Amino acid sequence: MNETAPDEAFAALCENLGHVLQACALMCVIAPDAVHVEAVVQAAVQHAHDPVVVSGTAPGTLPGLLASLYDRLAPAATRPRRAAHPQDAIEEELVRRPRPAIVVHDAHLLRNDALYYLYRLWDAFQEHQPRLPVILTGPEKLQAVLGRPQLASVKSCVYLWHRLN
């Protein structure tokens, strides 16, 4: 039994994550504040793909997200100085992985440009192998964040919304 969610809820999440990982789609997992969504998603996704797990932290800027992704993908490498280089290095490292997936906890803390970058990254990989599923997790506020007009294209591509109770 999973300590952060009842067995049935965990099984439903695993089933939905399986569909999303197979389809290499965008997914949002939301939960009330009392539910530890990060631990539940981590447990559900760890066996299916090669997840790159990062957390959105205030102020949620694009450079902060890029630094987190780069550190998770190439922890021993020195970070490139020019802005385009970390993005290129992130994409190159994701291509090297046989079954990559990006999981972003506390995605509601990310600014529009950081969320849009994740969308562009996901979109760019849809034409290539390996394809890239992206799972955004957070409290119910994540729905409002993705409801911003600037993020309409991101929200329209979410394949599945899963709510943990």
Side-chain angles (χ1 to χ4, degrees):
M1 179 170 150
N2 185 296
E3 294 179 20
T4 56
D7 285 342
E8 294 155 2
F10 185 72
L13 174 64
C14 287
E15 182 178 347
N16 283 337
L17 275 168
H19 294 305
V20 168
L21 293 171
Q22 184 177 10
C24 295
L26 281 167
M27 178 180 189
C28 291
V29 181
I30 58 173
D33 291 336
V35 177
H36 299 286
V37 66
E38 296 85 7
V40 176
V41 171
Q42 188 93 8
V45 78
Q46 70 184 1
H47 301 293
H49 269 54
D50 184 10
V52 178
V53 181
V54 296
S55 290
T57 55
T61 62
L62 178 57
L65 174 65
L66 292 174
S68 294
L69 285 168
Y70 190 82
D71 289 346
R72 294 289 295 160
L73 288 164
T78 303
R79 233 184 262 158
R81 294 182 188 258
R82 295 188 50 210
H85 295 286
Q87 293 177 12
D88 293 343
I90 288 166
E91 291 175 24
E92 289 170 11
E93 187 57 36
L94 287 169
V95 166
R96 284 189 196 111
R97 292 177 177 234
R99 297 181 56 170
I102 293 180
V103 179
V104 181
H105 298 307
D106 294 323
H108 66 289
L109 297 175
L110 296 176
R111 292 186 179 176
N112 291 354
D113 59 343
L115 287 164
Y116 197 74
Y117 170 75
L118 290 167
Y119 163 73
R120 286 192 330 257
L121 186 62
W122 167 81
D123 189 48
F125 269 75
Q126 295 316 301
E127 298 177 12
H128 306 289
Q129 290 294 330
R131 292 171 58 199
L132 179 71
V134 175
I135 296 102
L136 305 175
T137 72
E140 295 171 349
K141 181 180 179 182
L142 182 57
Q143 285 184 303
V145 169
L146 291 180
R148 296 175 188 154
Q150 305 90 331
L151 297 172
S153 57
V154 178
K155 186 175 182 179
S156 71
C157 289
V158 173
Y159 178 75
L160 186 71
W161 287 87
H162 184 92
R163 185 177 191 284
L164 294 172
N165 293 321

